Amino acid sequence: MEAAGRLRLDTLPRLQAAGEAEVQLRASDDGSGRAIVQGRVKAQLTLTCQRCLGPVARALTTEFKLVWVRSDAQAAALPPEPYEPLLSASGRVQVSELLEDELLLALPIAAVHATAEECSGLGQRPALRHVETPANPFAVLGAGRRDR
Ligand SMILES: [Zn+2]
């Protein structure tokens, strides 16, 4: 199954960024019965400067390849490469949380303006938004979904 779409970053509460990401996801079988989730996220983020609390624009692209495991024991038994475990006892994965984790991993440790001119202190912290969890995990991606 493949899905592609756009994700509003202000729907990810832990990320604390505004902006939008282009997301491609693909779920497949690796041939040995393992479920693989691969993805690519290209994001234009507006982060909060840690010095002046103003908006800082950043672009980043991250790719990941995860293998679904039901338990820590199963994760420990994986071959070391190229598998990164995605732990879910139920087999259900919250796609928005998965993408949020990957973006958090790819982010700079602390966002600050590059120059004193940009770092004005005039910015305001973007408001966080709460969004209901969709019943269909891929629905978070909006338009563009297709099944294979
Ligand atoms: Zn700043």
Side-chain angles (χ1 to χ4, degrees):
M1 184 170 71
E2 276 190 20
R6 290 176 172 276
L7 176 67
R8 289 185 49 167
L9 299 177
D10 58 6
T11 63
L12 306 178
R14 287 175 295 140
L15 189 63
Q16 301 206 3
E20 203 175 54
E22 281 176 45
V23 181
Q24 293 170 300
L25 282 178
R26 190 180 144 89
S28 58
D29 189 295
D30 76 343
S32 346
R34 296 186 187 98
I36 304 291
V37 179
Q38 279 177 273
R40 185 167 195 272
V41 183
K42 195 173 162 189
Q44 297 288 336
L45 307 106
T46 304
L47 301 166
T48 302
C49 173
Q50 298 304 299
R51 209 150 43 203
C52 69
L53 301 184
V56 187
R58 287 278 183 278
L60 70 84
T61 301
T62 183
E63 292 186 25
F64 53 89
K65 183 176 181 180
L66 306 168
V67 58
W68 169 51
V69 294
R70 289 171 198 268
S71 64
D72 288 329
Q74 229 178 31
L78 288 174
E81 291 289 334
Y83 295 110
E84 252 188 276
L86 171 64
L87 183 62
S88 169
S90 66
R92 297 174 70 86
V93 174
Q94 195 65 50
V95 171
S96 58
E97 285 184 16
L98 166 64
L99 296 172
E100 188 171 23
D101 285 341
E102 294 299 327
L103 282 167
L104 285 167
L105 285 171
L107 275 181
I109 292 166
V112 287
H113 286 113
T115 65
E117 286 76 24
E118 287 178 298
C119 202
S120 60
L122 295 174
Q124 287 179 343
R125 224 179 149 74
L128 295 178
R129 242 170 237 265
H130 178 76
V131 170
E132 295 287 318
T133 305
N136 168 5
F138 284 128
V140 71
L141 298 177
R145 182 190 172 193
R146 61 187 192 271
D147 289 325
R148 286 207 168 165

